[in-house]
Amino acid sequence: MSQKKWIGFPDKFLWGVGSSAHQIEGYNSNSDWWLYEEQPGKIKKGEKSGAACDHWNRVEEDTQLLKDAGAQVYRFGVEWAKIQPTEDSWDESVILHYKNELDLLLKAGIIPMITLQHFSIPLWLAHQGGWAAEGAPEKFLKFSKRIYEELGSKVEYWITINEPMVVLVLGYLSGHGPPGSGGLGMMIEAMDGMIRGHALVYHECKKMSKELGWINPQIGIAHHLRVFQPKRKWNLLDWITAHGISRAFNWSFFDAVETGNLFFKVPRHVNVKRQLANAKGTQDFIGINYYSRDHVQFGFKHPFWFHVSFRQDRPLTDLGWEIYPRGIYKLIKQSSKRATPGKPIWITENGVADRYDSKRESFIKQHLFWLSRAIKKGLPVVGYIHWTIYDNFEWSEGYDPKFGLYENDFKTQVRTPRKSAITFKQIIQDNGFELDDNKLAAILGVKQPSLKSPTE
Ligand code: BGC
């Protein structure tokens, strides 16, 4: 007979959902992404963000929707390109719009977590060279400072930059985002700019909050962390390469904001060591966006001598990404070891492209199981933010992938809860969920579930 096990979370654990401005608001026409979408062949099926989810005109209804969904926290972005349409101007009406949005959230009892920069940047900055441009960090500071002045008295949680490594790799190496070219050299300069920009904003907000007697802001970065596994277990070169990629992709930015030292190495190409002292100790929490695992194969014929792929014999999302729940546990452990002991950990994104909602419920439960395991091991995970509340514009993948707890009809903009939205709400309300031991055994990859001492 199958038995049930309660997977519970600490009393103060926070549950939320996330989004980004460009993906939901619509008409972000002063941004680099808007221009990029205009170029033929860049976005699947030639789709463009356009009106997106028209969130800009639906803030009230959407706040109600967040409440209905049971969200305790809402992670959302403010759009730099709209706030500062030119380098020397502010759009006051846009700032007012975000102030209103924030007040609506607070009135609804939802804790805001604000992302200052999520992929898109203003076109004027892109024309100057984006994050690699001289003075980019100071420009990010100027923008962020203004936002902090306007919203900082009411907001505790801040993310300066979303997934810096993804922006860098897509933008400069793989060509799946703006600027679409530039190579490793430019990428390093942009990375340097991002780290410096983040650090400037961190120190300024801390200083301002002290001077003004505001709530001490908790400032971090949403790091996109992946599991990199050698494709052939017996191949030493696959092992070394997987380790090297993980080091560069997962940890170079991460370590820089912990230690103030930037170390980024791609054998035969770059070996960067820089001191960025101002960046030391500039994340108050570890923000982890977790989605999948890559298998790494060494080979001379590949650019940079390696190739990454998803294992096809495992459960996959609609985008073909492997569903690998145990990875969230591994990355929590690894990141915690690299950071100041005891630093709080937020899962700032975790979600699945699943049009028919046939996998999302178990995706959520399996990832939460591993999260609870991390907490049991004493790792201070304080919150989980699901990506995303409703289907939206999925960057170069266009509108095809459906990451939403709510389905969005893009013609009518009617948002309808999927079954998994109801499940997630229930998990939030109960602060946990029941798992029967067969399912647990499957999650753990064992025949007989051993509830007391599962293998990791
Ligand atoms: C990004 C989101 C994106 C999600 C799903 C993350 O890399 O932060 O903007 O929608 O992944 O691909």
Side-chain angles (χ1 to χ4, degrees), residues 14 71-75 105-106 109-113 156-157 346:
L14 289 169
Q72 298 167 340
V73 180
Y74 180 44
R75 177 183 166 214
L105 286 169
L106 294 172
I110 297 170
I111 300 168
M113 178 184 275
E156 182 173 4
Y157 300 108
W346 274 90

Side-chain angles (χ1 to χ4, degrees), residues 413-431:
Q413 298 292 358
V414 170
R415 334 231 201 259
T416 314
R418 294 192 163 104
K419 215 172 122 261
S420 54
I422 316 287
T423 306
F424 188 53
K425 183 178 181 179
Q426 196 61 52
I427 295 175
I428 299 176
Q429 276 171 1
D430 299 343
N431 205 27

Side-chain angles (χ1 to χ4, degrees), residues 188-208:
I188 301 294
E189 293 324 308
M191 190 171 178
D192 186 291
M194 284 175 144
I195 297 169
R196 286 178 201 274
H198 158 81
L200 288 176
V201 172
Y202 180 91
H203 293 300
E204 181 65 31
C205 295
K206 288 286 182 184
K207 192 180 102 207
M208 275 174 67

Side-chain angles (χ1 to χ4, degrees), residues 88-122:
D88 307 312
S89 68
W90 302 103
D91 189 330
E92 299 296 335
S93 70
V94 173
I95 295 176
L96 192 63
H97 173 97
Y98 288 123
K99 283 175 115 172
N100 289 337
E101 178 161 13
L102 176 61
D103 286 341
L104 281 168
L105 286 169
L106 294 172
K107 224 170 113 197
I110 297 170
I111 300 168
M113 178 184 275
I114 295 185
T115 312
L116 290 165
Q117 198 257 326
H118 193 127
F119 287 11
S120 44
I121 55 169

Side-chain angles (χ1 to χ4, degrees), residues 23 118-119 162-163 224 291 321 349 387 394-395 403:
Q23 290 176 275
H118 193 127
F119 287 11
N162 180 69
E163 299 190 343
H224 183 112
Y291 287 92
W321 303 354
E349 279 183 35
W387 186 272
E394 184 50 39
W395 308 109
F403 275 90

Side-chain angles (χ1 to χ4, degrees), residues 351-364:
V352 56
D354 179 25
R355 174 181 294 266
Y356 300 111
D357 203 38
S358 58
K359 299 175 182 157
R360 190 172 287 103
E361 184 176 328
S362 66
F363 178 99
I364 292 175

Side-chain angles (χ1 to χ4, degrees), residues 232-297:
R232 299 161 295 185
K233 281 200 179 114
W234 42 267
N235 188 307
L236 185 62
L237 288 170
D238 285 6
W239 278 92
I240 294 171
T241 312
H243 178 79
I245 297 173
S246 175
R247 177 74 192 72
F249 184 86
N250 284 339
W251 308 121
S252 53
F253 207 103
F254 187 102
D255 288 354
V257 294
E258 283 289 328
T259 66
N261 292 311
L262 171 62
F263 174 70
F264 185 87
K265 184 176 171 185
V266 178
R268 296 180 309 118
H269 287 89
V270 287
N271 190 1
V272 175
K273 281 183 196 157
R274 284 186 196 172
Q275 257 219 321
L276 301 168
N278 203 32
K280 185 177 175 180
T282 56
Q283 54 179 1
D284 295 324
F285 59 86
I286 299 171
I288 300 178
N289 292 0
Y290 176 68
Y291 287 92
S292 188
R293 152 167 88 165
D294 293 305
H295 282 83
V296 180
Q297 181 164 13

